[in-house]
Amino acid sequence: MDSAAEFDVSYQERLNDAVAVIRGRWTISVLATLALRETQYTDLLATINDNERRSAGDATRRPLSDRVLTDTLRRAREHDLIERRAGTGNFSSVWYRLTPKGRALLRAVRPLLEWAHEYSEGGDSAALRKLNI
């Protein structure tokens, strides 16, 4: 096998691996929300759903559920994109924040968001600037 073919396979595999990390409808929403500040679980869920209601033109879209948020956070933690911090006590709050790897991923995804904004109607460039990533 020549080296060009090896490079192509490796490139494709790495690209597929990278895309798998951001798979899921809510992954980027979670990471983008955490880019603004460390956030408690309940506030994270509410913020994402509020943003979705404001930006979605389709009222039939389902909001982010507790179960899906929990799964999304678990996957993000497995990929070391976010950190979880629980307070002390029986009913303590749980907080989440981006890791340096999570911030780097958002910076890497930003050109894709800009591309989507350029080629879709109703894109929100102010939201992109607000993230400051």
Side-chain angles (χ1 to χ4, degrees):
M1 182 181 256
D2 67 11
S3 61
E6 288 177 24
F7 176 78
D8 289 343
V9 171
S10 176
Y11 175 83
Q12 290 171 351
E13 287 174 3
R14 288 182 187 264
L15 183 58
N16 287 335
D17 290 346
V19 170
V21 170
I22 60 172
R23 75 173 160 67
R25 179 172 185 262
W26 299 103
T27 302
I28 296 299
S29 295
V30 166
L31 297 178
T33 301
L34 292 175
L36 301 173
R37 68 184 176 288
E38 182 179 46
T39 306
Q40 289 182 313
Y41 178 92
T42 52
D43 292 338
L44 183 60
L45 181 65
T47 299
I48 291 169
N49 282 329
D50 287 347
N51 289 341
E52 183 72 11
R53 274 191 292 278
R54 280 196 314 264
S55 66
D58 182 5
T60 62
R61 290 173 68 167
R62 300 178 87 182
L64 175 60
S65 68
D66 276 319
R67 179 174 169 251
V68 173
L69 177 57
T70 299
D71 289 346
T72 302
L73 291 169
R74 178 188 46 77
R75 280 194 329 273
R77 287 181 63 211
E78 288 171 358
H79 289 288
D80 193 31
L81 302 175
I82 63 170
E83 295 175 340
R84 180 184 187 271
R85 180 176 60 87
T88 58
N90 290 338
F91 299 103
S92 61
S93 297
V94 175
W95 296 77
Y96 292 91
R97 67 177 170 213
L98 281 181
T99 63
K101 184 178 177 181
R103 243 176 236 295
L105 176 61
L106 282 178
R107 283 191 302 272
V109 171
R110 187 178 179 108
L112 180 61
L113 296 173
E114 291 169 349
W115 175 86
H117 173 73
E118 183 177 342
Y119 292 101
S120 68
E121 294 183 29
D124 188 358
S125 58
L128 286 173
R129 285 191 301 277
K130 185 178 176 183
L131 286 178
N132 193 26
I133 51 175

